[in-house]
Amino acid sequence: MTLVEETTKKESLWDRSGGLNGLLTAVGILALTRVGQLLMISWLDGGTAEPRPLFERLLIWDAGWFLRVAVDGYPEGYTYSATGQLEGNELAFFPVYPMLIRAGAALGADPSTAALTVAWLASVGAAVALHLLGASLYDRRAGWALVAICCSAPASVVLSMAYSESLYIALVAGMFAAAHRRVWWAAGLLGLLTALSRPTGAAAALALAVAAILALRHDDGQPKWKPLAAAAAALAGVPLYLGWVAYRVGDLTAWFKIQTAGWGTSFDYGSSTGKFLWTTLRSGDGWIPMSVALILLVALAAAGVALAQKPWLPLAVYGVVAMILVYGQAGFYHSKPRLLLPVLLTLLPAVVAAARARPRVAVLSITAWALFGLWYGAYLVTVWPYTL
């Protein structure tokens, strides 16, 4: 560990992040992106053939699956069509978000309202966690930049929807912030919840294990079992849920079969992604496929730049493994920008550049990014007819 890193560790994260004003600034940045995007959704919706209330726009696609888990629970086994073909069902969706929806409904809220309330509160948590992570890794300006860039990315519209991304980002960013400050009980708890929120939580758990190994090599006076226990808790999350699904259905590979049957999701080592990029860039029809292809290529380039800058090793491991999972699996191509949103590694070059630039340059650059990203997401949930 360098002298700069050691000094950073000794400075409290509260002071480093700017205290209450720093956190309120991060939440204010989030609020600007959310209000701006909701206004864009309303504006674009007015030009569609079948306008729908804003509330309904935020409850489409995967939101219905989460709500069914929250209201009706998980099915007992496989689901089949009238012709006997295996279909996807609610067992494909990890439990933390729908369980929080159920808790909100138990308090008397309508389930749909509870779903959006949980997602919006989680977005606030994500803004706070992202700022703390950026401040811990770099400085408070980097923390604010990370919030602004992540929360206005092209797929960031899901932060306002009844999707699990806002909760997942809050948990994974909080886990990394806690691990970077060596607060292992928090890192372990957040790591377990992260792994029970989305399948890519496995990448986060692996990264926490790397952080624990690094901690074992550094004598900071803490008992060695603490980082090991934190890593073990996180690593248990995904196997626990997949094992529970296997037990419930009576098939060790049940979760994977349900994913493939419902959404065509299977790991094909990037074959489908490569074919999509080749076909789209060569003779693609439509600007959405072309834009998704460009987003995938830009994200790869950004990840390469980030790795060249030698970021904190656990965050690099998480980013690489998460990107392998996104690029390596078959599935809906137009969902990949959403799946890339929580990767974080792809955002680091822009975050570092914004933190080092003059404030006016940083603000103008991020504003331009946000105008496109927020409009793009609003377009996807109003005009674009397919799932995000």
Side-chain angles (χ1 to χ4, degrees), residues 5 11-12 39 116 128 130 146 211 215 224 226 230 235 246 258 307 310 333 345-346 374-375:
E5 289 175 320
E11 183 183 5
S12 75
L39 291 174
L116 289 178
V128 170
L130 287 168
L146 182 57
K224 300 301 182 183
K226 288 186 176 182
L235 288 168
I258 291 169
L307 292 174
K310 298 182 179 179
Y333 71 85
L345 179 69
T346 59
L374 297 176
W375 173 84

Side-chain angles (χ1 to χ4, degrees), residues 154-307:
S156 63
V157 65
V158 292
L159 300 180
S160 295
M161 300 172 67
Y163 270 54
S164 63
E165 269 75 15
S166 56
L167 179 63
Y168 180 84
I169 292 173
L171 292 171
V172 74
M175 181 201 78
F176 279 125
H180 193 246
R181 310 303 292 192
R182 303 198 193 98
V183 184
W184 295 111
W185 69 266
L189 176 60
L190 293 171
L192 175 61
L193 292 174
T194 298
L196 290 173
S197 297
R198 295 186 64 83
T200 45
L206 181 60
L208 186 57
V210 173
I213 293 171
L214 293 178
L216 293 178
R217 297 171 58 187
H218 179 74
D219 185 12
D220 58 0
Q222 290 197 48
K224 300 301 182 183
W225 65 265
K226 288 186 176 182
L228 293 176
L235 288 168
V238 171
L240 277 174
Y241 182 67
L242 298 187
W244 178 81
V245 172
Y247 174 78
R248 190 173 182 86
V249 177
D251 183 349
L252 282 175
T253 60
W255 185 84
F256 300 96
K257 291 179 179 177
I258 291 169
Q259 278 282 89
T260 301
W263 296 269
T265 304
S266 61
F267 195 80
D268 64 0
Y269 300 93
S271 175
S272 297
T273 302
K275 289 178 181 177
F276 163 71
L277 290 172
W278 176 263
T279 302
T280 301
L281 295 175
R282 189 180 182 189
S283 57
D285 181 23
W287 77 271
I288 288 289
M290 184 63 71
S291 65
V292 171
L294 292 176
I295 288 171
L296 292 177
L297 292 176
V298 169
L300 277 176
V305 173
L307 292 174

